[in-house]
Amino acid sequence: MNKTTEWPENKELASMPYALQAAAVWLEVVQGAQLFRIGQPPRTMFYVLSGEMRLTRMSLDGAEMILQRTRCGFLAEASIEASAYHCDAVAFEPGTVLGFPIAIFRKALEVDVTFRKAWTSHLVQEIRRARARSERLTLKSAAKRVLHYLESEGQNGVLKLEQSRKAWSAELGLSHEALYRTLARLEQEGVISVEENTIRFAGKMINSASVR
Amino acid sequence: MNKTTEWPENKELASMPYALQAAAVWLEVVQGAQLFRIGQPPRTMFYVLSGEMRLTRMSLDGAEMILQRTRCGFLAEASIEASAYHCDAVAFEPGTVLGFPIAIFRKALEVDVTFRKAWTSHLVQEIRRARARSERLTLKSAAKRVLHYLESEGQNGVLKLEQSRKAWSAELGLSHEALYRTLARLEQEGVISVEENTIRFAGKMINSASVR
DNA sequence: CGTACTTTTGAATCGCATCAAATCTGGTGG
DNA sequence: CCACCAGATTTGATGCGATTCAAAAGTACG
């Protein structure tokens, strides 16, 4: 493990047994770098610390189909039990990634009960988040999506944004312009309050017009 | 276990140890029925066989926020390790649901290695599907969503629909009219072929207009 | 045969994407 | 310290595609 950087504090990583942490490799990836390709046997479990990594697959008609976008967190959990990747992983934005040798990772899951429980807990959590995101994206209006996000990702109506609004807009399935305008309108109407990277529900009941 | 109905063939259920299968309870739920409420300790793991069950939470502004919609599969996997529900579960459409006593479910996961692996495999699969769905929902055009679905849920470009188009349209985040029109247009342009509940990619390269 | 639901087509409306451009920001190097 | 640049933020104008409302035709089922 490269010691030029200290071990990150993410709780998913904290539960790892020392042997696994020690086996981690720090990777600085440039834009367009390929972490793995379809068909390869997984040798590494990747954890994104910064930048944007994408799982993609070439569709039958030649277009690129995105399966996952990650700016923070494990990249392809399913690779833990696959014998070959079903998609490509590329760095859409440069960033840094942790790599865990997958054999050691698997062994740790077998041997270490605590880590196994933490891993299962992480999986269950990701299912929850991804499903909530899906339901959010079926909402037709920008305002509804913002409020859904505020309530499902925030703590008691208060949200600490860990990313730029532009990145957030992509997560919300909106253009960045639409997000800026929606935030401005919701704040102006007293539905939310915005300061820096903290957004909070302002207690005001939504009038039907705000969330049309 | 109520023997008036035979054990379903879903592979997620097939991997269960006999003791767990035997402890299952068949539930016929009417529209609006509550499977559980927020705050209650989970006593049962639910598996939806038919109908539409929803996980919802009242948002701060009094609107109902949907966290998951299920027509087939486990309802709230996270309840396996929660001490209290974080949301309500209601039957949006009447249907039938399997209920597994959660203590027995947990015990089976601890004791039965095969079942535990199948469960983990299921979790990982659900993450993949939910993330793919999320990415699909960020696509701006109806045609792109249909094709993304065809490729991520179909087998080699062939999709066997297990649900009505109306239900499918909800999963795609489209109005049913938009879906009907899109299918008609894509078929007419030779991009896909539709017969009954089988939809297949017709091999024709997409012209940019089709998937604008 | 009647009822409920899905499927299908039509027409009008609206919110968001898109294109454009200005301003603001943080970081870099001279 | 300032000039400069890349990126994020913000506002404006326009067009398009999906929603919405409406209604008809098809289908399953008791």
Side-chain angles (χ1 to χ4, degrees), chain A residues 42-97:
Chain A
R43 296 193 210 291
T44 309
M45 173 64 76
F46 294 101
Y47 188 98
V48 181
L49 290 171
S50 69
E52 179 173 315
M53 307 299 141
R54 292 185 176 184
L55 298 189
T56 64
R57 207 165 62 198
M58 199 56 76
S59 64
L60 295 170
D61 62 336
E64 183 181 66
M65 179 177 58
I66 301 178
L67 296 169
Q68 184 192 352
R69 269 178 291 186
T70 306
R71 305 184 70 85
C72 180
F74 287 105
L75 191 54
E77 284 93 338
S79 63
I80 193 66
E81 52 179 29
S83 61
Y85 285 115
H86 296 206
C87 55
D88 299 314
V90 302
F92 186 77
E93 259 179 30
T96 95
V97 175

Side-chain angles (χ1 to χ4, degrees), chain A residues 45 69 71 82 86 131 157 172 193 210-211:
Chain A
M45 173 64 76
R69 269 178 291 186
R71 305 184 70 85
H86 296 206
R131 285 189 186 148
L172 288 171
S193 68
S210 302
V211 292

